[in-house]
Amino acid sequence: MPAFAAPDGTELAYHVRGEGPPLLCLPGGPMQASAYLGDLGGLTANRRLILLDFRGTGDSAIPEDPATCRCDRLVEDVEALREHLGLDTVDLLGHSAGTNPALLYTTGHPHRVGRLALITPSMSAVGIAVPPEIRRRTARLRQDEPWFPVAFAALQDITAGRATTDSWDVIAPFLYGRWDDTARAHHAAGAAQKNHDAAAAFAADGVFEPGATRAALAGFTAPTLVLAGQVDLNSPSAAVAELAGLLPKAEFVELSGAGHFPWLDDPQRFTAAVAAFLA
C-alpha cells in the first residue's frame, strides 16, 4: 500500500487501481475511506485510479490535530499527493462531499488541474442549498417502489426537523437507482468506513467562503464534467445544474435512473460518460 507524508507529517495512504493516465479521486462521506468507490464501475479500463484515503480514514493515519480534517485543510494533502506522484498537473475527480476539497483545490491551484470531474456533487463550497421541496420532488420519482411509503415518511420527518437516529438509514434507498442486494451491501459497508469525528471537523464553522470560491471558479477555464443522477436525493439534478453554471467550461450530464452512486446503478453509461470526458 503506497503512502506519503502530509505537510504536518501525518502519513496518508492511497490505493492504485487500473492502467492508463492517472486520475486522482477524492472520496465523499464526508471523511469516508475510498474503498466504497471500488473501481468506479470499470473506469480502471481507461484510467489508473489514484484513490486517496483522507486523513483519519481507511489506511491513513489519524492526525494529532483533529482540526486538520477541515475541508480547507485537506487541500494541502491533495497538493502533497500531487507532488509525491511527480505530476505537473492532475486530472481530478471528486464524489459527493469529496467535490468540496476538489473545488477548493481547483481554486487554490488552478494551473495544476487538467480536467475536473464532479460526480453527484455536494455544493457546500459554493453555497448552493437544496430546498426541502426539491428533495421531496426528487423522492416522488420513486413512488412506485415498494419501500417508498416508509422511506418518504422518514424524509418528511427529516425535512421537518423531526429526524430520529434511524431516519437516515430508512431513506437510504433514495440514494440508489436500484435498492437491491448490491445497494444494501454498499450502504451497510459505508457505515464502517466513515470517521464521524473527522466528518464533524470537515465542515466546521468558517470552512467555506462561497462568495470567494464562486469568484475564483468563474476564472477556471479547464474542462469540467458535472454529473448528476436523475433520482439522487442527496444531490438533485436541479442543484447540480446550478453548480455547473458557475464553471465557464462545464459540461452537465444527467444519468437517467441513477442515484448518488451512478457507477453502481449504470456502470456502462457512467464509465462511457466519464471516459469520453477525460479522453
Side-chain angles (χ1 to χ4, degrees):
M1 178 196 62
F4 66 101
D8 66 349
T10 304
E11 186 174 88
L12 304 181
Y14 61 97
H15 304 266
V16 181
R17 296 176 181 160
E19 302 293 337
L23 175 64
L24 179 52
C25 302
L26 305 183
M31 304 308 280
Q32 183 171 340
S34 65
Y36 82 94
L37 295 172
D39 65 357
L40 286 174
L43 194 58
T44 46
N46 304 93
R47 302 298 293 243
R48 177 162 53 97
L49 305 184
I50 310 296
L51 304 160
L52 175 62
D53 281 343
F54 282 124
R55 53 183 54 226
T57 73
D59 293 312
S60 290
I62 296 174
E64 292 185 5
D65 180 4
T68 61
C69 294
R70 287 170 46 122
C71 181
D72 53 351
R73 299 286 294 275
L74 299 179
V75 170
E76 302 170 14
D77 296 342
V78 177
E79 175 64 359
L81 177 54
R82 182 198 64 79
E83 293 178 346
H84 168 78
L85 296 171
L87 300 173
D88 185 55
T89 61
V90 294
D91 288 343
L92 185 63
L93 179 148
H95 172 248
S96 188
T99 60
N100 292 303
L103 287 169
L104 296 186
Y105 180 82
T106 296
T107 59
H109 304 275
H111 301 298
R112 296 299 188 185
V113 180
R115 288 177 178 265
L116 176 65
L118 306 174
I119 309 302
T120 56
S122 162
M123 290 148 287
S124 299
V126 293
I128 295 176
V130 182
E133 181 50 38
I134 296 295
R135 296 199 196 277
R136 289 192 289 265
R137 186 187 310 162
T138 302
R140 290 189 184 99
L141 296 173
R142 315 296 297 280
Q143 61 187 355
D144 294 331
E145 302 280 354
W147 45 262
F148 176 83
V150 173
F152 191 76
L155 175 63
Q156 295 278 53
D157 287 341
I158 290 171
T159 57
R162 301 189 303 265
T164 68
T165 55
D166 296 330
S167 297
W168 302 100
D169 276 334
V170 176
I171 67 167
F174 286 122
L175 300 179
Y176 295 87
R178 294 182 306 278
W179 187 236
D180 55 15
D181 289 343
T182 298
R184 290 185 182 92
H186 187 264
H187 175 68
Q193 294 166 348
K194 187 172 179 179
N195 182 328
H196 293 278
D197 290 337
F202 179 87
D205 290 344
V207 168
F208 300 120
E209 299 180 2
T213 301
R214 285 172 177 248
L217 289 176
F220 179 66
T221 57
T224 304
L225 172 67
V226 185
L227 188 145
Q230 179 197 17
V231 298
D232 180 11
L233 183 70
N234 187 83
S235 306
S237 292
V240 175
E242 185 178 347
L243 170 61
L246 300 178
L247 292 134
K249 291 191 175 180
E251 172 188 357
F252 173 71
V253 173
E254 181 189 68
L255 292 188
S256 62
H260 197 55
F261 308 95
W263 62 90
L264 292 179
D265 298 324
D266 196 334
Q268 185 173 1
R269 283 195 302 148
F270 173 79
T271 56
V274 178
F277 166 73
L278 294 172

